[in-house]
Amino acid sequence: MNPMRLAPLILVAASPAMAAPGDPVPARPRVFQDWIVACDNGGRCEAASLASEDSALQDAGLLVRRDEHGALSVRVADMTGKAPRATVRVDGRAVASTPLTRQVEGTWQGAPAKALVSALARGRKAAILTPTAHPLSLRGAAAALRYMDDRQKRAGTTTALVARGAARYRATPPSLPLVRVVTPPGKAAPAIPGAAINAARRQYGCATDDGSPVSADAYRLDARSTLVLLSCGAGAYNYIVQPLIWRDGRLTPAAFDYAFAFGEPKPAGQPQVLVNTDWSRDGRLSSWAKGRGLGDCGDAAQYGWDGTRFRLLSAARMTECRGAIDTLGVWRTRVVPAPAR
């Protein structure tokens, strides 16, 4: 058995529930052989190299980003964390070289990034030298970059990466949705009665007899509402919670305008499931559901409280467990403070 073929303990669902009209619709990454690409709602596109074999890893990989204004960058990462420098070689020629910050990552921008991307699109064989040569598959690279050209409406223009033409680029990037988020008050959360916590565990099926960690962390959202993250099971690398709202002496499921599906489908009326959550002092609730313990795939999301529900502020995905160096951005917003409640 190949030791790199590690099946995830809990699978991240391939497609989330259908969003209601007006709710966020994060992009779904597209796979082109050994490259994966996603373009978010603001017109930013990212493409990442993948290992050629399913469930395998890359010792070193690339991520190409072109933002909505056309700024191009290429990030390289050495997954071993041992190399001071990385060089990309395409068809026997060294195309780009950069020092690696903390012996992990480096970035090319401007003309060097453009030259490297052009070589990747035209090349047949590539490697990342650290100085050990790590194979870099180019299968699908040109198609992924062409997809970026199409999604950014640059195909046929002088600004295209692959589908270049003589036309002038005239498109306008889409506007990001505006989300108003409440800044949490500087008060400690109220004590949630143990009876209410136990009743919620029974009602929502979060038993405490499976050996997983037990918690019910509480964070004040506004003058009336408190977020309670009710522990609801854990695996080797995913710690699951159900987000509830404590208000007027009752615990009820927290409302979300969007949440990635995780695990088995839940009956109507059940709380959302978040994974590996984090709460920040400025009122950001984050979730990172790993597709496997190596953390090279999964769904990441960040939310803010608008006074009635949690709004998706940003999201990133990596649907392929094939050693990508990072997730791909699939949703962004503009965040402004909401009136205190």
Side-chain angles (χ1 to χ4, degrees):
M1 178 179 177
N2 186 340
M4 300 310 296
R5 293 186 178 276
L6 304 177
L9 177 64
I10 303 177
L11 293 175
V12 177
S15 58
M18 185 70 69
D23 282 346
V25 183
R28 180 166 179 80
R30 288 279 305 273
V31 178
F32 296 91
Q33 294 180 296
D34 296 334
W35 283 73
I36 184 169
V37 58
C39 296
D40 69 16
N41 57 309
R44 176 193 296 165
C45 293
E46 295 175 320
S49 64
L50 300 171
S52 296
E53 291 185 44
D54 187 33
S55 297
L57 292 176
Q58 300 179 109
D59 287 333
L62 298 181
L63 189 146
V64 178
R65 171 186 285 184
R66 184 169 57 180
D67 71 17
E68 59 268 41
H69 305 295
L72 183 68
S73 65
V74 182
R75 181 152 57 99
V76 60
D78 168 44
M79 309 308 284
T80 69
K82 299 178 181 179
R85 191 171 193 86
T87 299
V88 180
R89 184 176 64 196
V90 180
D91 294 336
R93 181 173 66 92
V95 178
S97 184
T98 183
L100 301 182
T101 305
R102 298 186 303 278
Q103 298 184 312
V104 176
E105 292 189 353
T107 302
W108 295 280
Q109 297 177 322
K114 185 175 181 179
L116 175 54
V117 168
S118 179
L120 296 175
R122 299 194 315 266
R124 302 184 63 182
K125 186 175 182 180
I128 300 174
L129 312 180
T130 63
T132 303
H134 307 290
L136 174 68
S137 175
L138 296 182
R139 295 193 321 139
L145 297 170
R146 188 179 295 274
Y147 177 82
M148 290 171 63
D149 286 337
D150 179 70
R151 291 302 305 271
Q152 292 187 325
K153 303 186 187 308
R154 296 179 182 274
T157 75
T158 57
T159 66
L161 298 174
V162 177
R164 198 170 295 118
R168 182 179 177 183
Y169 175 68
R170 299 179 181 276
T172 300
S175 298
L176 295 176
L178 182 69
V179 178
R180 299 188 182 276
V181 173
V182 174
T183 301
K187 294 182 179 181
I192 312 299
I197 295 293
N198 292 335
R201 289 194 181 282
R202 290 192 297 270
Q203 182 177 358
Y204 302 126
C206 289
T208 60
D209 57 0
D210 62 353
S212 60
V214 178
S215 63
D217 298 328
Y219 306 95
R220 189 180 288 276
L221 298 173
D222 55 38
R224 292 184 56 212
S225 307
T226 296
L227 170 67
V228 177
L229 299 177
L230 188 70
S231 61
C232 202
Y237 47 82
N238 282 322
Y239 178 66
I240 303 166
V241 301
Q242 290 186 346
L244 308 175
I245 299 298
W246 174 257
R247 182 190 294 139
D248 300 331
R250 295 180 60 234
L251 278 173
T252 58
F256 288 75
D257 63 357
Y258 184 95
F260 288 113
F262 183 84
E264 297 296 327
K266 303 296 187 295
Q270 289 289 305
Q272 295 287 353
V273 170
L274 300 183
V275 187
N276 300 324
T277 54
D278 182 66
W279 174 259
S280 66
R281 291 183 178 181
D282 62 349
R284 301 297 186 266
L285 175 63
S286 300
S287 177
W288 167 227
K290 297 181 182 180
R292 63 175 175 173
L294 298 171
D296 62 333
C297 52
D299 297 327
Q302 185 181 77
Y303 301 93
W305 176 252
D306 71 356
T308 59
R309 61 177 176 165
F310 282 100
R311 303 289 301 278
L312 182 66
L313 305 182
S314 63
R317 306 196 76 181
M318 180 50 64
T319 54
E320 299 295 302
C321 297
R322 294 165 60 186
I325 67 172
D326 206 349
T327 54
L328 305 177
V330 294
W331 184 259
R332 285 183 293 152
T333 58
R334 290 186 298 136
V335 180
V336 297
R341 289 174 176 260

